[in-house]
């Protein structure tokens, strides 16, 4: 159909409902009623407003469609059937093993940019895409986000609402499917569309309130959204959950389950049909940005100088930005602390201030990478915990993002525990496919920043606040999965495994112990994940005991990472772990390291004890 | 002073500034300029509106004061000096080792309810306190939250704004110190007070815009806030960062550092002084709720029945609520899934629906426990990652809260990875002082819910979606730090360590292997933290090899917890870990367990391989 009548649009809406019901019935699970409420919105968008070439999902002018209410996946897949990229047989594989049609959409499907299913994430990610389109690509695509009404309670949505209005993202449209029913019952605002409109307007959005089942009204609203200038638009649509099937329509207790009698429901919806939709092709647009490998001139630091790893990060990032035009930097209003200010100064057009909104910070990074950019998002390591769910979902999205957490550990000193990243290694190690790096000196930091850029998945770099001696030359090489043996003799009684600030403490401890005739091997485990199992195993074989020392809680960090290297059934060396076990308060950095038992004196004392008790050979 | 003139109030404001400057100068760090902007607000609050007996911090009628902008701690400590509970000598210990005056306030001070310093947390926690006062205690206290303007960008603030208005919390006042400057530069809205007012009004708040240095206006605003009915009030105060010292006032680059010349600044502020403030005493109020140990009648389940652990949790929680009136339950709009609906039905007055706002969910729990309640906050395990920073800060707050995550692991089946809690054990293990429990059957779940109630700190219970056989009798005892040896012979070739759903798979594997003449020991490690090191060590001694099997990522969970039991230098057994290594998609629960390599067949295959390769004895 080309210029569809309202009747034809309504018919398409019914087809989408039928297919959603059929998919859920075949799976015997899923969310048909949540799909049915948004079916008319989806029909009009698909037939009249979305500009997309389904044969070329990478076309740079394609609009973006994010189903933030990812549980309405049967509706999305019904749309794919209507445009002919999913056939009926495939539709009925919904939620089965090996099907691409997962319970919630993921980018295993070529038309899906990001995984959804954790509510309140679609709009924040859409803000990143819209920012890329407006401020970097100057591309004509629009970003359409379909949201449920329940998820408007998520704070992350309001971070995005604020950010989108502030940046005047008129290429972004939020469609709220106000079906008034959440999972367990009514939402806070029910069908009070004004409640949503008032809030969004106050933040600077253009709003349109409609009956989401009136296809003419829906059509007009989409047109108005597309023509609105300098403001993002929210279309607030009153809908009925389970629309079209009396037995479930607007009923509680019908969330997330197939309809009680699918055949009767399909009959009531007018029976199966196959209206094939011709989607408007995308406007022409420049090719999407791809990595362009200019010459990277990393900063070089002199041996023996004192440089904070956060400073080295900031300088390396600025250099990377000079070499590669696809690099973008984002920060959570702490660029003077994380040192992304260096990048901001050199590349202001590719620097994005996200203010104190860490969920939006990470979501924008995820949005940027869907457009081929290489984002580095930075804040204090402690505050990246605020975005844990976004990091988790970034992995489901197969997103390639770089996250950098500064002010790691008790060694920040006086500011106290609220500002100390002490759980960040645990968080990032548990993320699927992640890389976790923790440099101890400036040259190592610079090399690892360059290496991060070449990886896939979620990559985390942990930086420190205080200055640290430069112990590696600028041409020393480091790689994810590597480590450095800093001291090694045939007489080593055990091996100290350190990273970051504790490397320097371990070296001092080594010197102290030398005077007592106790030789220790020292490994700089700058790659926490993947971990250099070979080197650790060699050290285990040679010395029989590994002592890990980390400025992080004893759970989930370096101690656990080292143990994991021996989790394949081979003989395991003796293991001892030094790390943060108590709740710190304020104190100087040196005092903090001592109180936590991870400074040179504590390490030396622990080694002495192991020697005295004959735990080590 | 009793009824202070405006002049006297202004003078008190100057004293607070002077003391903030002095404290930061003594520490050579801290945030004096962020303190100076709010000093007049603090002076008027303290002298005229706060009702508090500093000699009795536990007085049930005391108002609550939360410094959400925790970095303004010098101002808070200056207030304590002004009321005479901190002397001058102590003030100057600010940020030193062993001082109670930490860089950011913590409840080590008796007048501080919760730690702050991670921005955007004060209001959400304040909502919990105000809810307790209004809906449970019927107590007359007011909750005052002092917030920065930068932190209004945090989504968690808007979760709280929505929640507070919806609950008509007229006992809650938000004071926004709009000094227009964040850490690295101007905020989004600068001095546009209307921008904040429009947003807050749209959510249903009463708002008052004032000059935050006009003590009469401040006084009138506090009075208006206190007399406003059925709405929370926000006082939006235009202030100058660094107010009173020309060299820093309203200047960029002056965040988080002592004043450049403290002596001159103190001079400019009129010199040191000591106005002692008499604070209005609190109104009378009923004693705060304390734990009252009624008879707890836990649900009992029959051996061999099939019951999901989430169902057992819901029933046990309802029973606990019947035995103890201090138990409150909170949920993130998924009570039909987490099964807190049972509690809601039995104890509607103590059930708090937080809708889909997990940060507010956990923050409200933290607020409730400050009032002596025993909160259980529940949602999907996956979505508790949304509140990671609140959990981290709950530990700094020394908060006693129970968090329960359902739908753990790949075993949820078709819904796919967005809904699977696969990183929750890693997250909770790394929290200071936490307890992490993961039951496998209904009676065990019930016992552990009862045990949780008696613990301190952050306690986490992980529940499953699917039904599981009841393998323990209702009188079997379980304790945090314990485990159960389910199978044990003298011929055991190795030990399988499982928890939750994998216990049943391990038992099946044991039966399979029996037929092949391979005996294995099986441990149910229901307490992941603290871990039962003694039992694990005995099994290690007896069998030489421990194979962990978990429905969680291989990092941070049971595999790591078991390794940690051997991190004290003693000989370590061989270790093998089975867990989730790939990104799951949709499939049935049985298929998921098989694809992840953690079902009975996979366990048996792994054991066979270890036997064949003579890895085990």
């Amino acid at each position: 159909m080309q210029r569809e009548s309202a009747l034809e649009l309504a018919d398409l809406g019914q087809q989408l409902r039928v297919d959603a019901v059929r998919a859920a019935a075949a799976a015997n699970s899923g969310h048909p009623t949540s799909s049915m409420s948004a079916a008319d919105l989806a029909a009009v968008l698909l037939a009249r407003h979305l500009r997309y070439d389904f044969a070329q999902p990478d076309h740079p002018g394609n609009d973006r469609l994010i189903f933030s209410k990812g549980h309405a996946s049967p509706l999305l897949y019904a749309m794919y059937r209507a445009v002919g990229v999913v056939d009926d047989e495939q539709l009925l594989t919904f939620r089965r093993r090996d099907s691409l049609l997962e319970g919630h959409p993921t980018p295993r499907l070529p038309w899906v940019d990001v995984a959804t299913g954790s509510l309140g994430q679609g709009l924040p990610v859409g803000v990143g895409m819209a920012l890329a389109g407006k401020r970097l690509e100057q591309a004509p695509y629009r970003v359409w986000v379909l949201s449920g009404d329940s998820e408007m309670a998520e704070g992350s949505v309001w971070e995005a609402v604020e950010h989108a209005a502030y940046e005047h993202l008129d290429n972004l449209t939020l469609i709220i499917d106000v079906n008034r029913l959440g999972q367990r019952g009514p939402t806070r605002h029910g069908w009070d569309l004004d409640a949503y409109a008032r809030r969004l307007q106050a933040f600077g959005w253009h709003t349109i309130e409609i009956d989401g089942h009136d296809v003419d009204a829906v059509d007009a609203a989409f047109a108005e959204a597309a023509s609105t200038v300098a403001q993002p638009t929210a279309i607030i649509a009153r809908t009925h959950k389970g629309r079209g099937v009396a037995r479930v329509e607007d009923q509680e207790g019908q969330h997330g389950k197939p309809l009680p009698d699918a055949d009767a429901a399909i009959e009531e919806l007018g029976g199966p049909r196959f209206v094939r939709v011709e989607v408007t092709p995308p406007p022409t647009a420049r090719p999407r940005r791809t990595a362009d490998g200019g010459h990277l001139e990393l900063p070089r630091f002199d041996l023996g100088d004192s440089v904070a790893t956060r400073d080295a990060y900031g300088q390396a990032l600025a250099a990377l930005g000079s070499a590669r035009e696809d690099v973008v930097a984002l920060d959570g209003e702490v660029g003077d602390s994380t040192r992304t200010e260096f990048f901001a100064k050199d590349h202001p057009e590719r620097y994005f201030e996200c203010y104190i909104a860490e969920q939006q910070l990470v979501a924008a990074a995820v949005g940027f990478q869907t457009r081929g950019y290489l984002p580095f998002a930075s804040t204090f390591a402690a505050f990246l915990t605020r975005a844990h769910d976004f990091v988790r979902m970034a992995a489901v999205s197969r997103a390639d993002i770089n996250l950098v957490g500064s002010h790691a550990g008790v060694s920040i000193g006086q500011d106290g525990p609220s500002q100390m990243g002490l759980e960040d290694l645990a968080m990032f190690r548990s993320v699927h496919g992640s890389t976790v790096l923790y440099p101890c000196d400036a040259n190592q930091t610079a090399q690892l920043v360059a290496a991060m850029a070449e990886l896939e998945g979620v990559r985390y770099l942990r930086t420190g606040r205080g200055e640290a001696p430069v112990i590696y030359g600028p041409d020393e090489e480091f790689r994810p999965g590597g480590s450095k043996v800093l001291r090694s003799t045939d007489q080593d009684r055990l091996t100290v495994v350190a990273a970051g600030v504790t490397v320097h403490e371990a070296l001092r401890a080594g010197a102290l112990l030398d005077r007592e005739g106790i030789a220790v091997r020292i490994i700089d485990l700058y790659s926490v994940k993947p971990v250099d199992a070979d080197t650790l195993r060699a050290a285990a074989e040679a010395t029989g005991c590994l002592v890990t020392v980390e400025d992080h809680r004893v759970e989930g960090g370096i101690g656990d990472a080292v143990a994991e290297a021996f989790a394949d059934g081979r003989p395991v060396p003796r293991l001892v772990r030094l790390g943060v076990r108590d709740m710190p308060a304020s104190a100087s950095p040196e005092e903090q390291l001592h109180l936590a038992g991870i400074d040179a004196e504590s390490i030396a004392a622990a080694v002495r004890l192991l020697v005295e008790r004959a735990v080590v050979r």
Side-chain angles (χ1 to χ4, degrees), chain A:
Chain A
M1 64 188 173
Q2 278 295 340
R3 289 287 80 187
E4 313 73 7
S5 68
L7 215 62
E8 285 168 327
L9 287 171
D11 194 48
L12 175 58
Q14 292 293 81
Q15 171 178 314
L16 298 178
R17 288 188 177 92
V18 167
D19 283 350
V21 170
R22 292 173 62 227
N28 197 27
S29 75
H31 299 75
T33 56
S34 303
S35 299
M36 294 158 82
S37 58
D40 298 312
L41 296 163
V44 178
L45 183 67
L46 194 62
R48 289 256 173 101
H49 297 275
L50 190 76
R51 301 169 307 169
Y52 201 98
D53 183 348
F54 277 89
Q56 293 190 71
D58 287 333
H59 190 293
N62 278 342
D63 282 358
R64 319 314 307 171
L65 173 60
I66 306 177
F67 259 52
S68 188
K69 50 178 294 184
H71 54 288
S73 56
L75 175 60
L76 183 66
Y77 304 150
M79 293 168 75
Y80 292 158
R81 179 178 174 246
V83 299
V85 294
V86 160
D87 66 19
D88 209 53
E89 192 181 353
Q90 194 181 359
L91 180 72
L92 300 181
T93 65
F94 177 51
R95 286 176 163 246
R96 297 231 180 110
R97 174 177 171 175
D98 298 329
S99 173
L100 295 178
L101 307 188
E102 298 188 40
H104 296 75
T106 75
R108 290 173 66 216
L109 288 165
W111 319 285
V112 174
D113 289 313
V114 288
T116 50
S118 178
L119 293 171
Q121 301 212 5
L123 189 66
V125 172
V127 165
M129 293 182 189
L131 268 176
K134 251 194 123 61
R135 285 201 25 202
L136 296 177
E137 298 182 75
Q138 284 86 41
Y141 63 80
R142 297 187 190 120
V143 181
W144 307 91
V145 177
L146 177 68
S147 163
D149 45 355
S150 279
E151 63 184 298
M152 296 300 289
E154 283 285 8
S156 56
V157 170
W158 297 97
E159 294 182 10
V161 165
E162 178 76 274
H163 200 109
Y166 184 74
E167 297 276 0
H168 304 290
L169 299 180
D170 52 16
N171 54 347
L172 175 67
T173 302
L174 174 66
I175 306 158
I176 312 177
D177 177 26
V178 186
N179 65 24
R180 96 166 180 90
L181 289 173
Q183 170 175 324
R184 52 123 275 299
T187 62
R188 271 201 185 101
H189 300 299
W191 274 325
D192 181 0
L193 303 190
D194 288 349
Y196 298 102
R198 273 197 307 275
R199 288 159 173 73
L200 287 157
Q201 285 166 15
F203 281 82
W205 282 55
H206 179 60
T207 64
I208 308 169
E209 298 174 45
I210 56 168
D211 172 351
H213 301 306
D214 174 344
V215 291
D216 286 328
V218 173
D219 187 37
F222 286 142
E224 186 176 328
S227 65
T228 297
V229 174
Q231 280 183 300
T233 297
I235 295 169
I236 306 162
R238 183 185 198 275
T239 63
H240 286 212
K241 198 160 179 169
R243 169 76 166 188
V245 175
R247 188 160 161 192
V248 299
E249 182 167 336
D250 193 33
Q251 298 295 310
E252 293 190 34
Q254 297 297 336
H255 181 95
K257 51 180 78 161
L259 296 205
D261 183 342
D263 288 339
I266 291 164
E267 183 83 7
E268 189 176 345
L269 291 164
R273 74 208 71 176
F274 185 50
V275 179
R276 164 97 184 234
V277 180
E278 294 299 326
V279 176
T280 309
T284 54
R286 291 184 303 176
R288 278 208 286 176
R289 184 159 308 279
T290 52
D292 41 0
H295 175 67
L296 172 59
E297 200 148 336
L298 283 176
R300 298 168 69 86
F301 303 92
D302 293 333
L303 279 169
D305 276 5
S306 281
V307 185
T309 52
R310 59 177 171 144
D311 277 307
Y313 161 62
Q315 293 182 47
L317 182 63
L320 191 68
S322 298
R324 293 178 57 153
E325 290 199 355
D326 57 341
V327 174
V328 298
L330 306 95
D331 203 285
E333 218 270 331
V334 287
D336 54 334
S337 287
T338 60
R339 303 303 200 220
T340 58
E341 61 185 2
F342 301 141
F343 185 100
K345 190 161 162 282
D346 291 357
H347 314 288
E349 74 290 353
R350 283 183 275 138
Y351 183 77
F352 295 86
E353 178 56 72
C354 294
Y355 296 92
I356 306 184
E358 293 81 8
Q359 297 183 88
Q360 180 58 57
L361 173 73
V362 172
V366 171
F368 275 117
Q369 62 87 39
T370 69
R371 305 304 303 159
Y373 291 94
L374 182 67
F376 282 76
S378 311
T379 184
F380 281 32
F383 305 140
L384 281 170
T385 57
R386 204 68 161 248
H388 189 163
D389 196 31
F390 283 78
V391 175
R392 182 182 75 84
M393 287 299 294
V396 185
S397 289
R398 283 73 173 169
D400 296 321
I401 57 171
N402 301 282
L403 301 174
V404 181
S406 70
H407 292 65
V410 297
S411 49
I412 67 164
Q414 290 83 353
D415 268 335
S418 66
Q419 318 294 302
M420 294 172 176
L422 290 173
E423 304 83 4
D424 54 323
L425 296 177
M427 175 171 84
F428 283 106
R429 270 185 74 238
S430 74
V431 172
H432 176 66
S434 65
T435 302
V436 181
L437 305 171
Y438 181 19
C440 69
D441 99 333
N443 286 314
Q444 189 181 49
T445 304
Q447 294 282 347
L448 291 177
V449 169
M452 284 172 86
E454 308 299 329
L455 300 175
E456 293 186 340
V458 174
R459 313 136 205 184
Y460 176 60
L461 182 80
R462 183 183 218 223
T463 67
R465 174 174 180 271
E467 292 183 351
V470 176
I471 62 169
Y472 295 113
D475 297 315
E476 186 103 20
E477 285 179 12
F478 305 94
R479 60 181 177 78
S483 69
K484 286 282 172 187
V485 179
L486 287 170
R487 293 171 55 115
S488 174
T489 71
D490 290 344
Q491 283 74 49
D492 293 337
R493 308 284 292 271
L494 54 72
T495 302
V496 176
V497 183
V501 66
T502 60
V503 167
H504 307 289
E505 299 300 323
L507 288 171
R508 277 213 300 130
L512 290 173
L513 292 163
D514 264 352
R515 293 181 217 149
E516 301 165 33
I518 302 173
V520 296
R521 186 164 300 190
I522 298 178
I523 294 177
D524 171 8
L525 198 74
Y526 60 82
S527 178
V528 179
K529 180 184 173 187
V531 76
D532 185 355
D534 289 345
T535 300
L536 292 171
R537 287 168 188 163
E541 199 132 317
T543 71
C545 177
L546 305 186
V547 179
T548 55
V549 195
E550 58 190 310
D551 193 0
H552 182 276
R553 298 231 168 264
V554 287
E555 299 93 354
I558 294 167
D560 279 354
V562 168
E564 200 195 342
F566 298 92
D568 60 352
R570 74 181 62 209
V572 186
R574 292 179 190 248
L575 298 168
V576 175
R577 55 177 79 180
L578 307 180
V580 182
R581 293 177 189 271
D582 293 323
M583 181 58 70
S586 287
S588 72
E590 298 70 28
E591 290 169 336
Q592 298 278 15
L593 290 170
H594 186 67
L595 289 165
I598 54 174
D599 66 344
E601 287 68 27
S602 304
I603 297 168
V607 171
R608 263 180 230 117
L609 196 71
L610 292 169
V611 169
E612 279 164 24
R613 296 213 180 149
V615 171
V616 296
R617 54 186 75 166

PDB file of all heavy atoms in Angstrom, chain A residues 25-40:
ATOM      1  N   ALA A  25       1.276 -17.068  21.169  1.00  0.00           N
ATOM      2  CA  ALA A  25       0.611 -18.367  21.308  1.00  0.00           C
ATOM      3  C   ALA A  25       1.574 -19.486  20.943  1.00  0.00           C
ATOM      4  O   ALA A  25       1.653 -20.517  21.620  1.00  0.00           O
ATOM      5  CB  ALA A  25      -0.632 -18.412  20.426  1.00  0.00           C
ATOM      6  N   ALA A  26       2.341 -19.275  19.867  1.00  0.00           N
ATOM      7  CA  ALA A  26       3.297 -20.304  19.450  1.00  0.00           C
ATOM      8  C   ALA A  26       4.364 -20.517  20.516  1.00  0.00           C
ATOM      9  O   ALA A  26       4.808 -21.640  20.753  1.00  0.00           O
ATOM     10  CB  ALA A  26       3.944 -19.900  18.131  1.00  0.00           C
ATOM     11  N   ALA A  27       4.766 -19.424  21.160  1.00  0.00           N
ATOM     12  CA  ALA A  27       5.816 -19.506  22.186  1.00  0.00           C
ATOM     13  C   ALA A  27       5.257 -19.954  23.525  1.00  0.00           C
ATOM     14  O   ALA A  27       5.997 -20.373  24.407  1.00  0.00           O
ATOM     15  CB  ALA A  27       6.489 -18.152  22.348  1.00  0.00           C
ATOM     16  N   ASN A  28       3.926 -19.811  23.660  1.00  0.00           N
ATOM     17  CA  ASN A  28       3.276 -20.009  24.957  1.00  0.00           C
ATOM     18  C   ASN A  28       3.858 -19.102  26.040  1.00  0.00           C
ATOM     19  O   ASN A  28       3.898 -19.440  27.219  1.00  0.00           O
ATOM     20  CB  ASN A  28       3.335 -21.468  25.394  1.00  0.00           C
ATOM     21  CG  ASN A  28       2.328 -21.755  26.501  1.00  0.00           C
ATOM     22  OD1 ASN A  28       1.294 -21.074  26.584  1.00  0.00           O
ATOM     23  ND2 ASN A  28       2.633 -22.721  27.351  1.00  0.00           N
ATOM     24  N   SER A  29       4.347 -17.952  25.629  1.00  0.00           N
ATOM     25  CA  SER A  29       4.786 -16.921  26.565  1.00  0.00           C
ATOM     26  C   SER A  29       4.956 -15.623  25.790  1.00  0.00           C
ATOM     27  O   SER A  29       4.745 -15.585  24.581  1.00  0.00           O
ATOM     28  CB  SER A  29       6.094 -17.321  27.273  1.00  0.00           C
ATOM     29  OG  SER A  29       7.198 -17.200  26.414  1.00  0.00           O
ATOM     30  N   GLY A  30       5.330 -14.573  26.485  1.00  0.00           N
ATOM     31  CA  GLY A  30       5.488 -13.283  25.816  1.00  0.00           C
ATOM     32  C   GLY A  30       4.400 -12.297  26.198  1.00  0.00           C
ATOM     33  O   GLY A  30       3.585 -12.580  27.074  1.00  0.00           O
ATOM     34  N   HIS A  31       4.406 -11.146  25.566  1.00  0.00           N
ATOM     35  CA  HIS A  31       3.590 -10.010  25.996  1.00  0.00           C
ATOM     36  C   HIS A  31       2.674  -9.510  24.877  1.00  0.00           C
ATOM     37  O   HIS A  31       2.850  -8.404  24.373  1.00  0.00           O
ATOM     38  CB  HIS A  31       4.502  -8.880  26.479  1.00  0.00           C
ATOM     39  CG  HIS A  31       5.355  -9.254  27.646  1.00  0.00           C
ATOM     40  ND1 HIS A  31       6.460 -10.071  27.533  1.00  0.00           N
ATOM     41  CD2 HIS A  31       5.266  -8.937  28.969  1.00  0.00           C
ATOM     42  CE1 HIS A  31       7.016 -10.239  28.729  1.00  0.00           C
ATOM     43  NE2 HIS A  31       6.318  -9.570  29.615  1.00  0.00           N
ATOM     44  N   PRO A  32       1.669 -10.291  24.513  1.00  0.00           N
ATOM     45  CA  PRO A  32       0.789  -9.831  23.437  1.00  0.00           C
ATOM     46  C   PRO A  32      -0.036  -8.601  23.810  1.00  0.00           C
ATOM     47  O   PRO A  32      -0.203  -7.708  22.975  1.00  0.00           O
ATOM     48  CB  PRO A  32      -0.104 -11.051  23.158  1.00  0.00           C
ATOM     49  CG  PRO A  32      -0.037 -11.873  24.406  1.00  0.00           C
ATOM     50  CD  PRO A  32       1.331 -11.653  24.962  1.00  0.00           C
ATOM     51  N   THR A  33      -0.525  -8.525  25.057  1.00  0.00           N
ATOM     52  CA  THR A  33      -1.415  -7.390  25.379  1.00  0.00           C
ATOM     53  C   THR A  33      -0.654  -6.071  25.334  1.00  0.00           C
ATOM     54  O   THR A  33      -1.205  -5.048  24.917  1.00  0.00           O
ATOM     55  CB  THR A  33      -2.069  -7.568  26.767  1.00  0.00           C
ATOM     56  OG1 THR A  33      -1.045  -7.736  27.763  1.00  0.00           O
ATOM     57  CG2 THR A  33      -2.979  -8.790  26.791  1.00  0.00           C
ATOM     58  N   SER A  34       0.625  -6.089  25.740  1.00  0.00           N
ATOM     59  CA  SER A  34       1.443  -4.883  25.679  1.00  0.00           C
ATOM     60  C   SER A  34       1.773  -4.517  24.231  1.00  0.00           C
ATOM     61  O   SER A  34       2.117  -3.370  23.941  1.00  0.00           O
ATOM     62  CB  SER A  34       2.757  -5.087  26.445  1.00  0.00           C
ATOM     63  OG  SER A  34       2.499  -5.453  27.787  1.00  0.00           O
ATOM     64  N   SER A  35       1.710  -5.496  23.357  1.00  0.00           N
ATOM     65  CA  SER A  35       1.913  -5.247  21.932  1.00  0.00           C
ATOM     66  C   SER A  35       0.655  -4.646  21.312  1.00  0.00           C
ATOM     67  O   SER A  35       0.723  -3.737  20.484  1.00  0.00           O
ATOM     68  CB  SER A  35       2.253  -6.556  21.209  1.00  0.00           C
ATOM     69  OG  SER A  35       3.448  -7.116  21.719  1.00  0.00           O
ATOM     70  N   MET A  36      -0.492  -5.153  21.733  1.00  0.00           N
ATOM     71  CA  MET A  36      -1.759  -4.743  21.118  1.00  0.00           C
ATOM     72  C   MET A  36      -2.069  -3.276  21.378  1.00  0.00           C
ATOM     73  O   MET A  36      -2.657  -2.594  20.549  1.00  0.00           O
ATOM     74  CB  MET A  36      -2.881  -5.651  21.624  1.00  0.00           C
ATOM     75  CG  MET A  36      -2.698  -7.101  21.139  1.00  0.00           C
ATOM     76  SD  MET A  36      -3.551  -8.302  22.167  1.00  0.00           S
ATOM     77  CE  MET A  36      -5.211  -8.183  21.474  1.00  0.00           C
ATOM     78  N   SER A  37      -1.658  -2.766  22.532  1.00  0.00           N
ATOM     79  CA  SER A  37      -1.954  -1.355  22.830  1.00  0.00           C
ATOM     80  C   SER A  37      -1.230  -0.424  21.859  1.00  0.00           C
ATOM     81  O   SER A  37      -1.750   0.624  21.491  1.00  0.00           O
ATOM     82  CB  SER A  37      -1.576  -1.016  24.279  1.00  0.00           C
ATOM     83  OG  SER A  37      -0.218  -1.277  24.534  1.00  0.00           O
ATOM     84  N   ALA A  38      -0.048  -0.821  21.433  1.00  0.00           N
ATOM     85  CA  ALA A  38       0.773   0.058  20.594  1.00  0.00           C
ATOM     86  C   ALA A  38       0.669  -0.275  19.106  1.00  0.00           C
ATOM     87  O   ALA A  38       1.381   0.315  18.291  1.00  0.00           O
ATOM     88  CB  ALA A  38       2.225  -0.026  21.040  1.00  0.00           C
ATOM     89  N   ALA A  39      -0.227  -1.181  18.745  1.00  0.00           N
ATOM     90  CA  ALA A  39      -0.248  -1.670  17.359  1.00  0.00           C
ATOM     91  C   ALA A  39      -0.633  -0.589  16.352  1.00  0.00           C
ATOM     92  O   ALA A  39      -0.069  -0.530  15.253  1.00  0.00           O
ATOM     93  CB  ALA A  39      -1.195  -2.863  17.249  1.00  0.00           C
ATOM     94  N   ASP A  40      -1.555   0.281  16.716  1.00  0.00           N
ATOM     95  CA  ASP A  40      -1.949   1.329  15.763  1.00  0.00           C
ATOM     96  C   ASP A  40      -0.842   2.369  15.624  1.00  0.00           C
ATOM     97  O   ASP A  40      -0.575   2.869  14.523  1.00  0.00           O
ATOM     98  CB  ASP A  40      -3.263   1.972  16.205  1.00  0.00           C
ATOM     99  CG  ASP A  40      -4.397   0.955  16.241  1.00  0.00           C
ATOM    100  OD1 ASP A  40      -4.547   0.204  15.251  1.00  0.00           O
ATOM    101  OD2 ASP A  40      -5.111   0.883  17.262  1.00  0.00           O
TER     102      ASP A  40
END
